[in-house]
Amino acid sequence: MNNINFDVIVVGAGHAGIEACLATSRLGLKTLLVTSNIQRIGYMSCNPSIGGLAKGHMVRELDVLGGQMGIAADETTIQYKRLNSSKGPAVRGTRVQNDKHLYSSFQKEALLNQENLTVLEGEVKRLVLDKDICRGVVLQDGSEIHAKASIITTGTFMNGVMHIGLKQESGGRVGDKASIGLSDQLAEFGFEVKRLKTGTPARLLKDSIDWSKTIPQAGDEKVYPFSYRSSDKLKLPQILCYLTRTTESTHDIIRGNLDKSPMYCGLIEGVGPRYCPSIEDKVTRFSDRDSHQTFLEPEGLTTDLIYLQGISTSLPEDVQDQFLKTIPGLENVKVARYGYAVEYDYVEPSQIWHRLETRTINSLFLAGQINGTSGYEEAAVQGFVAGVNAAHRILGREEFILGRDEAYIGVLIDDLVTKGTREPYRMFTSRAEHRLVLREDNTIDRLGVLASKLGIVSSASLGILSALHEKRMLLHARLKETKVYPTKDVQELLLKIPTTALTKSLSFEELLRRPEVSSFDLEALNFSVDKDANVFEPVEIEVKYSGYIRRQQELIEQSKRLEELLLPPGLLYSEIRGLSNEERDKLQRIKPRTLGQAQRISGVNPSAIQAIMIHLKGQKKLKDVVVEPAP
């Protein structure tokens, strides 16, 4: 491979790398994917599942834009659940359990058959840098491969160290060695490189579990697939998961062995995930709890391995054996692989632009856990955005940036770039201030037009998108235009729903706005509704929440005024009067693109935004802006 040229090089074939290389190759660019192990493409190192609250939103957004994760998840689902189904539509989330081996095989097949894409098994040791421009990579064997852009998606592998008790071993996960050299080179170049930690639970042999002491957990019968291209009839047999709980005995054993935990005896420096704590953290932080639930989740249809969800640990193997056997159903359990922690390097993400290109090295893009995130979904969407922007840079197109009001993907990247992170970042619906308009059900309406402009989605798939959007628009128009009158027959039917009788004629949209009336109730009133949930559900939600959505759109319009005010790239905050030293330092380091982004930087006060606006007006670099008094 020495001295071979590509348009784009992608390093790493995890969830971020997959989306990055598919995006660039589907945009017609000659792409090289370098991975240390071709057999581990798209491997689910931790929980064999895709989606969840807010994560499911991102998978759907990625699918509409032309990503791969949604279709792969649908094809390999072995249990489907819609989380928060009884709550409001903004916080519902799709989550599926996957056959991890079939998922990996599906993704591997997609890459090996993708036009313009070459997959190479090897290890990248360092970047080829020409001053502040990345020109390619150097492999372990000394081969130098050149490219117009490079995307690093190394996951937990950069200087990765695995911990089990007081034992340490180099590696990003069991069976795969760490990536050594890249983060050291980035640090030498001036990047702020830090350490994070994640963990995984033990894998158990299913025949050693007493299932009678656990509670079966079935999936949902009604399925809303991630991809608009998928059938709502799942392809694989559906399985049960099982619920059990830790006990006081479990906690006593863990508390009695904290001195053997690398987290508690100082061996691990990296910060762990706040929202996915180890069992040691749970027992310590929530000492008032006498038990914690855990789900026993099969890793596939043809494997004997059971994933012990919620019990990640890095305690020694003998201690794991002890506390596992205090959990109901696991009294005689046999462990196939013990839990462990992984400590790894990441690049503080305020050092990248929204397009995911680094601020100090041109043509170098970072995506996934290297940017401080946790989770397959967070990684995948970053990979896609990095891939599109790397391609756009080469093709001379404008940068691809999603706003916070357009997609959860936009919220994720803006949070990383604007606020940085000191712990593994995980997406939640609470992070999105405009979540009522960023629902799972309206992803097509939000991003369909943008998908057609990007040019990654096939014409056949765009046809499906367009047809769904048109059906929704038609149904909504009919609801507005068609009237229902207070005849005797209508009043009797309304009482059966039951809902109050009419005092005057209404549009069907006004009738559907009533909380107790559903789309199906309209059928009895001779108003036909498309039976496809992809059509009627988003329209019904739009109707019922129209007042709230209208108010949120007004807030979005207000915030857009600041988002549209671009700041000059070379703006010197040291010259702006009225800023504190902290504000100057943060603004100069993060270099916000817009006034809106500047406003979201922690420690930058409203008075600072006012000072920036006054300065720019004085420099005649900002026009038609009304400067209001600081609150």
Side-chain angles (χ1 to χ4, degrees), residues 146-171:
H146 293 167
K148 298 171 185 173
S150 299
I151 306 171
I152 309 301
T153 70
T154 45
T156 62
F157 285 70
M158 282 207 315
N159 282 346
V161 176
M162 297 179 291
H163 297 263
I164 301 181
L166 305 184
K167 295 188 299 184
Q168 299 178 31
E169 182 181 341
S170 176

Side-chain angles (χ1 to χ4, degrees), residues 130-287:
D130 177 9
K131 296 181 180 178
D132 62 348
I133 301 173
C134 182
R135 301 291 191 188
V137 301
V138 178
L139 301 182
Q140 188 174 29
D141 65 1
S143 299
E144 192 168 298
I145 308 175
H146 293 167
K148 298 171 185 173
S150 299
I151 306 171
I152 309 301
T153 70
T154 45
T156 62
F157 285 70
M158 282 207 315
N159 282 346
V161 176
M162 297 179 291
H163 297 263
I164 301 181
L166 305 184
K167 295 188 299 184
Q168 299 178 31
E169 182 181 341
S170 176
R173 64 183 170 220
V174 167
D176 290 303
K177 59 185 178 180
S179 173
I180 308 296
L182 272 179
S183 59
D184 296 333
Q185 185 184 17
L186 291 173
E188 288 170 6
F189 199 87
F191 283 88
E192 188 180 1
V193 177
K194 298 184 176 181
R195 299 287 275 173
L196 288 177
K197 169 257 177 188
T198 189
T200 191
R203 304 311 196 268
L204 314 177
L205 292 174
K206 70 177 182 182
D207 290 341
S208 66
I209 298 170
D210 185 348
W211 299 102
S212 67
K213 295 182 180 179
T214 64
I215 304 170
Q217 304 286 305
D220 298 345
E221 290 187 12
K222 177 61 181 172
V223 172
Y224 300 84
F226 282 120
S227 178
Y228 63 91
R229 296 165 287 171
S230 296
S231 166
D232 60 1
K233 307 298 181 189
L234 297 174
K235 292 190 174 182
L236 299 179
Q238 299 301 286
I239 53 94
L240 293 172
C241 294
Y242 296 85
L243 174 66
T244 185
R245 305 188 70 91
T246 61
T247 64
E248 277 289 6
S249 297
T250 316
H251 299 182
D252 288 341
I253 292 170
I254 292 169
R255 279 190 289 262
N257 287 278
L258 286 177
D259 60 324
K260 301 172 186 173
S261 168
M263 280 293 292
Y264 286 85
C265 64
L267 286 179
I268 293 180
E269 301 172 6
V271 180
R274 179 191 301 264
Y275 303 104
C276 189
S278 67
I279 189 62
E280 296 97 293
D281 282 339
K282 288 181 181 179
V283 169
T284 305
R285 286 163 49 189
F286 308 106
S287 56

Side-chain angles (χ1 to χ4, degrees), residues 573-584 587 603-615 630:
Y573 293 96
S574 59
E575 297 178 353
I576 300 177
R577 296 174 61 186
L579 298 181
S580 69
N581 288 334
E582 179 189 3
E583 288 167 338
R584 285 195 179 95
L587 288 163
V604 175
N605 297 307
S607 59
I609 303 302
Q610 184 187 47
I612 295 170
M613 293 167 74
I614 292 171
H615 176 82

